[in-house]
Amino acid sequence: MDKERISPRQLTFLVISFTIGSWIVLPSGIEAWQNLWLIMFLSLGQGLGFAYLALLLFRRHPGKTLFEIHEIVYGPLFGKLFSLLFLWFFLQTGAGALAVFVTLLKTTVFTATPDLALLIPWVIIVVYGCRRGIEVIARSNEPLVLATIGLIIASVFLVLNIFERENLLPLFNLPLSAVLWNSLGIAVFPFGQNVLFLMLLPKVNQPQKVMGAVFRGMVLAGLLLSLLQFLAVGVLGKVGELFVFPTYEFYRMINIGEVLTRLELIPLLNFLTMGFIKIMLCVYTMAVGTAQLFNLRAVQPLVFPLGILVLLLTRQIYPSISLHLQYIRDAQPYFGLFFCLLLPLLTLGMSFLRGGLQREMAS
Amino acid sequence: MIILIVLVFLGLFLYEAPGLVAEEYWRELAVFTLLMLLGLIWSILLASGVELPYVESVWLDLFTGLKKGL
């Protein structure tokens, strides 16, 4: 598994899938509904800033994963503690995404199906994918992400007859504090979560192209999400903010000549694939991280138990979707900021400090 | 239900462990067993109806408390 390699293009596609992930069905910053597509650009800027800091860390320690960097910078004991924190972050990110998709399926299509009947097959597929390794995940992601991009672009033409420009107004009607808070919420979720890729960057076969690949993926994902949000607001209008899953409702509205109707299941299936990739990346990263934490030679055997832990945590993420929405609004920006900005920034600062001290001692 | 859970975990263990023993991956076997035990205990607690805290509720309480404190 150590010899696995992915290309920069595959990394870009993985970043797109991971960023689109679960945000596409349950956007954060829904309070800014009509301004969301514009706020997305502000968030993208912040997200790129976070990514730049994380990539600086990778540039200072080429060929090392985040967990290896922790041990170099903080020493074996504290390094492992920091890595454990990130393991929790990956676990919660994966379980959170899975919980959102299960809630979506339960409230829209499989209303009478027990959670476990949806969770178990999902986790089995995720575990199967992770056991095949990152190369297989990256290769299978390519057609899926192209299908998603195609679908989002096709949506522009599908909604031409129901898109109302007046629905986009009023714009810029939010106080600055609300704009900044919501943009921060989106910057940490989904863009900031890309800190997870620090565990996968050493697997890219052309390390010099990593920064461009990650930035391209984030910008493309940001543009796609903004476009989709723009269309959703134009179709649903102000009432869109009342829906828990506005994207799903937006696709339900499509009606072309009473022939092409009730198309929501096609995008639903498509977005589920993005969810699969996101959760697979979380589980795979956890397996790689756990293996490095305990100095193991094999990653594969850890995938099954880690998949089970994700399944179990999914049931303990939130008791109701209303609490999840409250969490997204009030707690997620702090939680995300801690993992996506503060910890990488601290590690980067310590890395510079240690580098400087070592140079002084050498001279 | 608990018996079913134990059987499932036992099945998974028997599926994975022999390969690790054959390859002499002892550390891998130890970590695998540890994670499986964690999963088993957690599953049994959930199946027995023990009320465990919800993750997002914990974070919400923590950050709301911190915000009030500041």
Side-chain angles (χ1 to χ4, degrees), chain A residues 199-360:
Chain A
M199 295 298 292
L200 303 176
L201 295 185
K203 294 191 186 292
V204 180
N205 57 13
Q206 291 163 285
Q208 72 280 10
K209 290 188 177 171
V210 154
M211 193 174 269
V214 172
F215 281 178
R216 261 195 305 279
M218 286 176 70
V219 169
L220 257 169
L223 290 176
L224 287 169
L225 290 175
S226 179
L227 172 66
L228 195 64
Q229 213 51 47
F230 174 78
L231 295 175
V233 173
V235 170
L236 296 172
K238 188 138 180 64
V239 290
E241 64 188 312
L242 302 175
F243 296 117
V244 176
F245 300 111
T247 320
Y248 177 82
E249 297 298 332
F250 145 71
Y251 277 104
R252 237 157 72 116
M253 304 284 284
I254 292 172
N255 182 350
I256 299 175
E258 302 289 331
V259 179
L260 280 178
T261 57
R262 299 299 306 265
L263 295 177
E264 66 273 15
L265 282 183
I266 298 170
L268 179 70
L269 277 173
N270 202 285
F271 299 151
L272 288 186
T273 62
M274 298 291 98
F276 267 112
I277 297 294
K278 180 168 184 170
I279 297 157
M280 262 183 216
L281 285 175
C282 289
V283 174
Y284 182 80
T285 311
M286 278 163 60
V288 171
T290 311
Q292 288 182 352
L293 207 61
F294 293 98
N295 298 324
L296 308 182
R297 286 171 290 167
V299 171
Q300 228 182 9
L302 305 177
V303 173
F304 239 127
L306 289 172
I308 293 171
L309 291 185
V310 168
L311 187 151
L312 292 169
L313 191 68
T314 301
R315 295 176 65 83
Q316 288 302 121
I317 279 281
Y318 51 77
S320 65
I321 194 71
S322 57
L323 187 122
H324 182 57
L325 295 176
Q326 197 190 344
Y327 167 81
I328 289 179
R329 194 181 60 231
D330 297 332
Q332 188 157 265
Y334 298 113
F335 180 77
L337 211 55
F338 181 70
F339 284 101
C340 309
L341 180 66
L342 288 183
L343 286 184
L345 196 62
L346 183 69
T347 310
L348 187 66
M350 286 294 285
S351 167
F352 274 115
L353 212 64
R354 278 188 84 115
L357 278 176
Q358 272 165 2
R359 263 199 304 277
E360 261 178 42

Side-chain angles (χ1 to χ4, degrees), chain A residues 68-256:
Chain A
E68 288 168 332
I69 296 172
H70 282 155
E71 296 213 11
I72 294 169
V73 173
Y74 299 110
L77 180 68
F78 284 103
K80 282 193 190 334
L81 282 177
F82 274 82
S83 301
L84 270 177
L85 284 178
F86 270 96
L87 266 187
W88 173 260
F89 176 68
F90 302 149
L91 179 64
Q92 193 183 326
T93 304
L98 184 50
V100 165
F101 278 105
V102 168
T103 310
L104 170 69
L105 288 171
K106 287 244 336 166
T107 50
T108 52
V109 190
F110 301 106
T111 47
T113 310
D115 286 7
L116 276 180
L118 300 170
L119 277 171
I120 292 173
W122 192 301
V123 170
I124 289 174
I125 297 169
V126 165
V127 166
Y128 177 80
C130 290
R131 284 175 72 95
R132 299 287 126 198
I134 191 70
E135 280 183 4
V136 173
I137 298 175
R139 272 204 305 274
S140 51
N141 177 53
E142 286 178 77
L144 298 176
V145 86
L146 288 175
T148 306
I149 293 173
L151 178 88
I152 294 175
I153 292 170
S155 309
V156 176
F157 303 102
L158 289 171
V159 299
L160 279 177
N161 60 337
I162 48 172
F163 187 90
E164 303 280 348
R165 267 181 300 171
E166 296 75 39
N167 283 342
L168 297 169
L169 302 172
L171 263 179
F172 308 114
N173 59 335
L174 287 172
L176 185 65
S177 58
V179 171
L180 291 177
W181 183 249
N182 283 304
S183 72
L184 179 67
I186 302 170
V188 297
F189 167 62
F191 296 114
Q193 290 182 341
N194 284 316
V195 71
L196 170 140
F197 283 94
L198 276 179
M199 295 298 292
L200 303 176
L201 295 185
K203 294 191 186 292
V204 180
N205 57 13
Q206 291 163 285
Q208 72 280 10
K209 290 188 177 171
V210 154
M211 193 174 269
V214 172
F215 281 178
R216 261 195 305 279
M218 286 176 70
V219 169
L220 257 169
L223 290 176
L224 287 169
L225 290 175
S226 179
L227 172 66
L228 195 64
Q229 213 51 47
F230 174 78
L231 295 175
V233 173
V235 170
L236 296 172
K238 188 138 180 64
V239 290
E241 64 188 312
L242 302 175
F243 296 117
V244 176
F245 300 111
T247 320
Y248 177 82
E249 297 298 332
F250 145 71
Y251 277 104
R252 237 157 72 116
M253 304 284 284
I254 292 172
N255 182 350
I256 299 175

Side-chain angles (χ1 to χ4, degrees), chain A residues 43-61:
Chain A
S43 309
L44 178 60
Q46 295 172 48
L48 290 174
F50 297 168
Y52 183 72
L53 284 174
L55 289 166
L56 271 185
L57 201 57
F58 179 68
R59 196 179 269 183
R60 267 188 74 77
H61 303 276

